[in-house]
């Protein structure tokens, strides 16, 4: 699996920001920036996209819990792509682009 895009729809300090990771063929991307730029928030967002937004999260300081959203575009080894949206909640939190549970 390759992560092609990480979309911060409403998460931490970000609103409607897209991190494009589709360039390159080596699978390694390095994010750098000054303190408080959002590097740690981006790492938590990646984890939350894949495994769910924790019930007790500190990433709700800009957006209320029910509005927390992340998106992503993933590519399988066979070349198929999947667009997903992750919302904060207790069940059915992984959604397709149509906001219906996957």
């Amino acid at each position: 699996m390759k992560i092609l895009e990480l979309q911060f729809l409403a998460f931490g300090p970000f609103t409607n920001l897209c991190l494009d990771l589709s360039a390159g063929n080596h699978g390694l991307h390095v994010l750098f920036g000054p303190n408080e730029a959002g590097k740690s928030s981006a790492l938590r967002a990646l984890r939350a996209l894949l495994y769910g937004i924790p019930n007790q999260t500190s990433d709700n300081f800009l957006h209320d819990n029910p509005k927390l959203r992340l998106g992503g575009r993933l590519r399988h080894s066979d070349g198929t792509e999947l667009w997903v949206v992750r919302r904060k909640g207790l069940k059915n939190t992984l959604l397709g682009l149509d906001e219906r549970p996957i």
Side-chain angles (χ1 to χ4, degrees):
M1 176 183 74
K2 182 175 182 179
I3 301 167
L4 301 175
E5 285 183 21
L6 180 57
Q7 300 169 344
F8 305 90
L9 304 172
F11 190 85
F14 306 113
T15 304
N16 293 326
L17 176 74
C18 180
L19 184 59
D20 185 357
L21 303 169
S22 62
N25 294 318
H26 301 291
L28 176 67
H29 294 275
V30 177
L31 301 179
F32 66 95
N35 289 343
E36 300 298 320
K39 300 178 300 290
S40 296
S41 294
L43 182 59
R44 285 192 306 275
L46 175 60
R47 197 170 319 136
L49 177 68
L50 297 175
Y51 303 109
I53 300 171
N55 191 35
Q56 298 293 323
T57 183
S58 61
D59 291 302
N60 59 353
F61 54 88
L62 188 60
H63 307 281
D64 294 333
N65 277 344
K67 294 183 180 183
L68 292 179
R69 294 276 190 288
L70 294 162
R73 182 168 57 113
L74 313 171
R75 182 184 299 144
H76 191 275
S77 59
D78 66 6
T80 58
E81 291 187 9
L82 175 66
W83 288 85
V84 295
V85 173
R86 175 76 73 176
R87 69 173 185 84
K88 177 152 176 40
L90 296 177
K91 61 180 184 174
N92 296 327
T93 62
L94 188 62
L95 313 170
L97 286 179
D98 59 358
E99 293 278 324
R100 296 178 65 190
I102 293 180

